[in-house]
Amino acid sequence: MSISTFLILKILEILQILLLFVVIFGLAMGSFLNVCIYRMPRAGMSIHTPRRSCCPACREPIKVVDNVPLVSYLMLRGKCRHCHANISAMYPAVEFATALLYLGLFSHFGLTLDFVHALIFVTLLIPIAVIDAQHYIIPNGIIGTGMVLGVSLVSLIAYQRGDVGYLLTRLIGAVAGGTLLWLIAVIGGALLRKTAMGGGDVKLMALNGLFLGAWPELAMVLALSAIGGAVVGSVLVLTGRKSRQSPIPYGPFLTAAAVIVLLWGDWLWGRYLQLVGF
């Protein structure tokens, strides 16, 4: 075996190990995010309280062996070991989606600081999307944590690159994102004579601007989220699952659009410019 072949095989082996680690880490983080999703919207609960996870139906503490991401759900056939109540399919779905997104981010960014930046951003977006879909709220704790981590990370990346403009663009993006959606909410509320958008959506858009940048990223997030919301809302109304007056949480569409822009924003903007003749 030649030295070059040996090196290639070793690199592939290391890459496989890294991919496996990313998947396992994603599953573990998905399990933790399930804790956040369940506890954060509920009074008297926090990430730390109670110390051990328990069945929502019988309140029996969940054993470690029954708390392995994906595997335990499949082994228990989606039921509590003690009371046999159904376990929501949301739990394995969040774990699987988190691992899949982590794998996609690693494949896109590689083992770089940008990967860490994207990883933290997506980790914040997942519980925001699910909590808003279920409870119509976006916890301030997640937004606040995201802002602190976001400013720290973009400052570190700007320092590493020696590019102050990168930091300024992200800070402007945070201000512009929040301000833009706030104006849309105010104008929409005046026209519709009812609350058009919650304050959590405004803060989420500020978070998007901080992690993605100001222009054209915010424009793409707004466009994609509006299209997604319109399509899903129309389907729900036509199928009778929602009425025209029923509120539809906007957070899931903002988060989905943000992930799309994070991964494929440059490509989408390039295709758009080609389409309009630039």
Side-chain angles (χ1 to χ4, degrees), residues 26-36 67-69 91 94-95 98:
L27 291 172
M29 282 301 301
S31 181
F32 169 72
L33 293 180
N34 275 326
V35 174
C36 299
N67 213 17
V68 180
Y91 293 106
V94 167
E95 292 165 354
T98 304

Side-chain angles (χ1 to χ4, degrees), residues 150-196:
V151 171
S152 301
L153 270 171
V154 297
S155 300
L156 182 59
I157 293 173
Y159 175 78
Q160 183 197 44
R161 295 179 178 178
D163 184 4
V164 179
Y166 178 89
L167 174 61
L168 292 177
T169 300
R170 263 53 185 183
L171 295 178
I172 292 171
V175 175
T179 303
L180 182 60
L181 210 64
W182 177 78
L183 288 173
I184 293 174
V186 170
I187 295 170
L191 293 175
L192 299 174
R193 297 190 177 183
K194 64 178 183 179
T195 302

Side-chain angles (χ1 to χ4, degrees), residues 16-101:
Q16 289 176 343
I17 294 172
L18 284 174
L19 291 174
L20 181 60
F21 175 79
V22 169
V23 170
I24 293 173
F25 182 62
L27 291 172
M29 282 301 301
S31 181
F32 169 72
L33 293 180
N34 275 326
V35 174
C36 299
I37 291 166
Y38 181 78
R39 295 183 181 185
M40 292 189 78
R42 289 172 168 81
M45 282 188 157
S46 70
I47 297 175
H48 309 289
T49 307
R51 292 184 61 185
R52 289 185 60 186
S53 298
C54 60
C55 171
C58 66
R59 299 296 175 182
E60 186 72 22
I62 298 174
K63 297 179 180 179
V64 175
V65 69
D66 293 336
N67 213 17
V68 180
L70 278 186
V71 176
S72 293
Y73 182 86
L74 295 174
M75 294 296 292
L76 293 170
R77 298 182 180 180
K79 295 183 181 296
C80 172
R81 181 183 295 275
H82 302 280
C83 67
H84 304 293
N86 290 328
I87 300 171
S88 173
M90 180 201 72
Y91 293 106
V94 167
E95 292 165 354
F96 179 76
T98 304
L100 190 63
L101 283 169

Side-chain angles (χ1 to χ4, degrees), residues 244-273:
R244 292 183 181 274
Q245 289 73 37
S246 299
I248 296 177
Y250 193 39
F253 302 105
L254 282 175
T255 57
V259 172
I260 292 172
V261 172
L262 176 68
L263 290 171
W264 302 292
D266 291 340
W267 181 86
L268 286 172
W269 187 246
R271 298 294 81 75
Y272 170 75
L273 291 179

Side-chain angles (χ1 to χ4, degrees), residues 128-162:
I128 287 174
V130 179
I131 291 173
D132 195 30
Q134 292 181 336
H135 302 278
Y136 295 84
I137 60 171
I138 296 176
N140 287 328
I142 300 178
I143 297 293
T145 301
M147 286 295 182
V148 172
L149 291 174
V151 171
S152 301
L153 270 171
V154 297
S155 300
L156 182 59
I157 293 173
Y159 175 78
Q160 183 197 44
R161 295 179 178 178

